[in-house]
């Protein structure tokens, strides 16, 4: 079975369509959404419709989904751009989409798959914390009872593995360094136009905590849409980077009169 796992689409329909056509070419069987389908970009309703039309194995709620679908004006930790985008998003979503987003759980274990999903962190998902280092990963692993856990929220791909048994001298948790390579480098333009992928072989008895990156607003200076495929037959995780029509996504942001910064950051990948 092939599962496509993605997060932080953020209403970027061009990026989502590019990812989904790649999934078709890869013959993905089922889809898993890690939240923040809406917010920031210009097609929230269309992205919710597209996600709901997929064969979903699981879906969890992100903070932007939460704020766009509840009746409160409170948006903890949001800067003015994110806040403006949420207020605009609320005006774009129909009642059915709002109810669907509001109904999503904060974390979920998908039966028969060995997969747990969360937008932020397993230890306290409602606090919308981030996993940036091995200490955050350690907190998360103590609440992870399946071999695989997928998360999003930071828009920066990062992955950790926890070994089954350790001697006193051995570190139990390692960052899988090549998963997040390039995160501090700018990519040259011709590299940005090609697809690229990174693979991990899943070892039995190990636990993996994997941030899949962002489809619709990548922030590791690589503007290409990021997502992951888990192949449960050959036991691999592959993270793809897919080019998409950034200019079209930008023009829609400007047409909707959303903050200009939301358009410029797409090309910079930050
Ligand atoms: Zn997000």
């Amino acid at each position: 079975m092939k599962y496509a796992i993605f997060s932080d689409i953020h209403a970027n329909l061009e990026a989502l369509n590019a990812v989904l056509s790649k999934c078709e070419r890869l013959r993905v069987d089922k889809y898993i959404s890690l939240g923040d389908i809406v917010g920031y970009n210009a097609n929230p309703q269309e992205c919710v419709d597209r996600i709901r039309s997929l064969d979903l194995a699981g879906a969890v709620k992100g903070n932007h989904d939460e704020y766009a679908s509840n009746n409160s004006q409170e948006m903890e930790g949001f800067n003015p751009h994110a806040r403006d985008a949420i207020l605009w998003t609320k005006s774009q979503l129909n009642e059915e989409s709002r109810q669907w987003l509001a109904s999503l759980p904060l974390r979920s274990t998908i039966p028969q798959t060995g997969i747990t999903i969360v937008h932020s962190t397993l230890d306290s998902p409602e606090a919308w914390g981030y996993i940036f280092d091995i200490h955050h990963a350690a907190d998360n692993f103590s609440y992870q009872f399946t071999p695989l856990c997928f998360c999003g929220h930071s828009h920066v791909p990062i992955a950790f593995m926890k070994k089954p048994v350790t001697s006193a001298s051995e570190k139990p948790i390692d960052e899988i360094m090549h998963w997040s390579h390039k995160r501090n480098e700018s990519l040259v333009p011709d590299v940005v136009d090609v697809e690229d992928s990174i693979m991990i072989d899943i070892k039995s008895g190990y636990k993996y905590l994997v941030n899949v990156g962002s489809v619709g607003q990548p922030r590791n200076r690589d503007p290409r849409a990021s997502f992951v495929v888990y192949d449960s037959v050959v036991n691999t995780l592959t993270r793809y980077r897919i080019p998409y029509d950034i200019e079209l996504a930008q023009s829609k942001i400007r047409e909707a009169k959303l903050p200009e910064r939301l358009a410029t950051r797409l090309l910079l990948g930050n």
Side-chain angles (χ1 to χ4, degrees), residues 141-157:
F141 275 125
S142 39
Y143 291 82
Q144 181 181 330
F145 306 110
T146 53
L148 301 173
C149 176
F150 297 106
C151 66
H153 193 38
S154 67
H155 301 205
V156 176

Side-chain angles (χ1 to χ4, degrees), residues 178-197:
H178 68 287
W179 193 259
S180 43
H181 84 293
K182 291 174 184 163
R183 95 184 115 153
N184 295 318
E185 294 167 24
S186 283
L187 294 186
V188 285
D190 58 327
V191 175
V192 169
D193 291 337
V194 297
E195 289 184 7
D196 163 45
S197 66

Side-chain angles (χ1 to χ4, degrees), residues 249-265:
Q250 289 177 315
S251 70
K252 288 180 174 180
I253 289 170
R254 291 179 179 125
E255 221 168 280
K257 304 213 170 4
L258 285 159
E260 174 62 19
R261 159 84 178 126
L262 296 178
T264 51
R265 71 186 305 173

Side-chain angles (χ1 to χ4, degrees), residues 237-251:
L237 296 173
T238 308
R239 178 167 73 81
Y240 292 91
R241 305 300 310 221
I242 306 292
Y244 71 94
D245 191 343
I246 293 178
E247 269 179 43
L248 181 54
Q250 289 177 315
S251 70

Side-chain angles (χ1 to χ4, degrees), residues 7-10 35-40 62-64 78 119 130 152-155 214 217 219:
S7 192
D8 298 281
I9 295 159
H10 283 297
D36 277 3
I37 297 170
V38 304
Y40 292 132
N63 46 333
H64 288 251
F78 270 34
H119 184 67
Y130 294 93
H153 193 38
S154 67
H155 301 205
S214 167
Q217 194 195 77
R219 289 184 196 157

Side-chain angles (χ1 to χ4, degrees), residues 214-235:
S214 167
V215 171
Q217 194 195 77
R219 289 184 196 157
N220 61 327
R221 297 179 193 275
D222 183 339
R224 297 172 295 178
S226 175
F227 75 103
V228 166
V229 170
Y230 164 47
D231 187 326
S232 65
V233 176
V234 293
N235 259 320

